[in-house]
């Protein structure tokens, strides 16, 4: 069983940037696709970004395209999410998630989850 711990969230003014980190332990995640989701109070969980096992493919939700970058370092067993030009509507708990599907797209199963890190963007 993989354990994921997210960090890097915090309180940021609109227009600012954050880099979220996800540290994995228990086993290597180098063969897995990794995904970021977020959930705001009173809203359903939504997809943010995903990355294939080799980093050859990345995918982004329309709302964050152009101001979001997902990356990974398999040697360090780490995944990252860079968020730029933050908006109040980006306020949410951000979750790091893993899947044994490798290409990062059309992921239909999510096999391990972190507990989330809070991002709050002020106007």
């Amino acid at each position: 069983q993989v354990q994921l711990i997210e960090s890097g969230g915090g309180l940021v003014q609109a227009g600012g940037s954050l880099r979220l980190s996800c540290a994995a332990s228990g086993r290597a995640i180098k063969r897995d696709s990794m995904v970021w989701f977020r959930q705001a109070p009173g809203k359903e969980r939504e997809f943010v970004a995903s990355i294939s096992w080799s980093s050859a493919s990345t995918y982004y939700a329309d709302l964050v395209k152009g101001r979001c970058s997902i990356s990974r370092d398999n040697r360090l067993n780490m995944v990252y999410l860079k968020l730029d030009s933050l908006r109040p509507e980006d306020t949410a708990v951000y979750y790091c998630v893993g899947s044994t599907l490798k290409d990062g797209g059309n992921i239909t199963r999510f096999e391990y989850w972190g507990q989330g890190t809070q991002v709050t963007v002020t106007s």
Side-chain angles (χ1 to χ4, degrees):
Q1 181 66 41
V2 179
Q3 302 292 322
L4 301 176
I5 300 177
E6 302 96 332
S7 62
L11 184 65
V12 186
Q13 292 183 349
S17 298
L18 284 174
R19 190 178 79 158
L20 309 182
S21 297
C22 174
S25 61
R27 66 162 175 84
I29 60 169
K30 63 183 180 180
R31 296 185 183 276
D32 298 346
S33 293
M34 301 301 294
V35 188
W36 287 92
F37 287 92
R38 68 186 185 188
Q39 188 166 23
K43 296 181 65 178
E44 296 295 317
R45 185 176 63 243
E46 63 183 0
F47 169 80
V48 178
S50 63
I51 187 167
S52 64
W53 71 280
S54 65
S55 298
S57 299
T58 57
Y59 304 86
Y60 298 95
D62 288 343
L63 190 61
V64 300
K65 284 180 180 177
R67 58 188 190 93
C68 182
S69 179
I70 186 171
S71 60
R72 67 193 297 164
D73 187 331
N74 284 337
R75 193 177 68 85
L76 298 178
N77 232 27
M78 295 285 292
V79 186
Y80 308 97
L81 185 73
K82 183 68 160 50
L83 296 166
D84 299 314
S85 301
L86 284 163
R87 308 165 182 172
E89 54 263 41
D90 293 319
T91 295
V93 178
Y94 285 72
Y95 297 93
C96 181
V97 187
S99 172
T100 56
L101 296 174
K102 294 180 174 63
D103 71 2
N106 297 314
I107 296 172
T108 57
R109 61 179 186 264
F110 306 97
E111 291 155 318
Y112 48 96
W113 293 71
Q115 293 190 346
T117 185
Q118 176 72 50
V119 172
T120 302
V121 184
T122 61
S123 60

